[in-house]
Amino acid sequence: MSEPAEKAAKAAKAAKAEKAQKLDASDELAGKRAEFVLDDVVYLDGNSLGALPAAVPGQVEDVVRRQWGELRIRSWTEGGWWTAPERIGDRIAPLVGAAAGQIVVGDSTSVNVFKALVGAVRLARLTDRGGPGRERDEIVVDATTFPTDGYLAASAARMTGCTLRPVAPSDVPGALGERTAAVLLNHVDYRTGRLHDLPSLTAAVHAAGALVVWDLCHSAGALPVGLDEHGVDLAVGCTYKYLNGGPGSPAFLYVRAGLQDRFDSPLPGWNSHAEPFGMRADYAPAEGAVRGRVGTPDILSMLALEAALGVWDGVSVDAVRAKSLALTDFFLECVGEYVPEGRVECVTPRAHAERGSQIALRCPDAGEVMRRLIERGVVGDFRQPDVLRFGFTPLYVGFAEVERAARVLAETLAETPA
């Protein structure tokens, strides 16, 4: 690099660093960072596993030592264990735009996807507008979905006698018809960070007389969802990403209030029985969101999640979304300034209306680049075959960290053969 070019590069980095300081100084969410256990690593992998909220270790110790150790079985009543799935569901509800009484927490995302999708097919057949002889027998699934969702959709199709039809989200409206029973879609694409149009796609599914199931794993806690506002039928989401619930923390299931009395779960269990301690041979479903329960909830993870959700006190999802867009905009700005043109390709949409809370960059040596980034204290992740993913959690990521990440990325790319 020539001396003038080197001076220009240094000046550009100084300008970006100064801008980052100003942005951090005016950040209304900056104080939330102190509520997490963090170090000097730039952690941009919250879209895989959120950072540890500082209140969680103490809560877990209390659950283990006092509630389990001293109260023992009395904790199911005295400690509130039995009502935890609905109580914590009500805590998550405002973060995804839902009224209380529609979300139950428990099981994995995969199990909840299966429950929701089979339940959606059964609901669609109960209300089939096609008339006798026109039973709905097709499930439409996001062709770009996370693999497990695809596997589960195929299993649900076999179980319900449906044909599975993979379709790109943008092509869903044209693929719907009188045979469509249910549609399974991702709100945010896990590879690219593309945000799909939940309101218009939900409306299109309903216009065809079908039901929609949304996977919110990459949007819950990162941006407004509006489940009630947009009439979503069923939705599932994990809690260990932007909700920071911990590794393997239980997922959630949303069933719209107007559907709950007809929701027929393919996994009925004693916890969802109208008389769970009656131990009756015949199954009678409970009322409300409780129908989404199956077996005994994972109390240790459940109550760790409840403690983790305390970081949302006093926080609006709109403020989180505004900061998310500002962080990702600034990252792209810094990458554009620091990284030579053509070295990486951004596959995340630039338009705010089409962007989640991550940036995905494509480069041929992505796996090696990410390995070196992590060694230098910038943690993102790698997705086959050539994608670098950077997730931005607004509650604990700052603008100076974003500038540092882009700078280290540029340095790493300069040292790594393309």
Side-chain angles (χ1 to χ4, degrees), residues 107-338:
D107 305 312
S108 66
T109 305
S110 302
V111 171
N112 283 316
V113 166
F114 184 74
K115 286 187 284 187
L117 192 53
V118 173
V121 172
R122 292 174 175 177
L123 283 164
R125 288 173 174 172
L126 283 175
T127 58
D128 190 357
R129 300 174 187 173
R134 293 188 178 181
E135 184 177 84
R136 295 179 180 272
D137 62 355
E138 183 175 86
I139 294 174
V140 173
V141 64
D142 179 352
T144 62
T145 191
F146 187 76
T148 296
D149 283 21
Y151 307 154
L152 291 164
S155 180
R158 292 193 299 272
M159 181 177 182
T160 57
C162 285
T163 299
L164 186 65
R165 187 175 181 186
V167 175
S170 59
D171 296 332
V172 164
L176 303 171
E178 63 181 20
R179 292 182 55 189
T180 310
V183 181
L184 173 62
L185 295 168
N186 288 269
H187 197 192
V188 175
D189 185 288
Y190 80 99
R191 289 188 188 88
T192 67
R194 175 179 290 277
L195 172 65
H196 297 302
D197 191 341
L198 181 147
S200 67
L201 288 170
T202 298
V205 172
H206 288 168
L211 280 83
V212 66
V213 178
W214 282 96
D215 183 330
L216 309 179
C217 284
H218 287 268
S219 58
L223 52 91
V225 178
L227 292 178
D228 288 354
E229 177 186 357
H230 302 301
V232 169
D233 301 305
L234 301 108
V236 301
C238 70
T239 61
Y240 48 79
K241 294 181 171 61
Y242 296 107
L243 295 180
N244 311 295
S249 57
F252 63 87
L253 169 67
Y254 165 91
V255 182
R256 179 159 52 87
L259 299 174
Q260 289 177 1
D261 63 340
R262 290 166 287 147
F263 177 65
D264 182 10
S265 173
L267 296 174
W270 76 282
N271 256 234
S272 62
H273 198 285
E275 298 181 63
F277 293 97
M279 301 302 166
R280 302 184 184 280
D282 296 330
Y283 180 72
E287 294 183 359
V290 177
R291 288 190 178 202
R293 294 173 69 154
V294 183
T296 305
D298 184 345
I299 290 299
L300 297 182
S301 291
M302 186 90 64
L303 298 187
L305 166 62
E306 186 171 31
L309 291 171
V311 300
W312 288 93
D313 291 343
V315 175
S316 77
V317 178
D318 287 338
V320 167
R321 176 59 169 166
K323 183 177 176 183
S324 165
L325 291 172
L327 287 168
T328 49
D329 279 345
F330 187 55
F331 182 70
L332 288 173
E333 180 183 323
C334 290
V335 169
E337 185 74 48
Y338 299 165

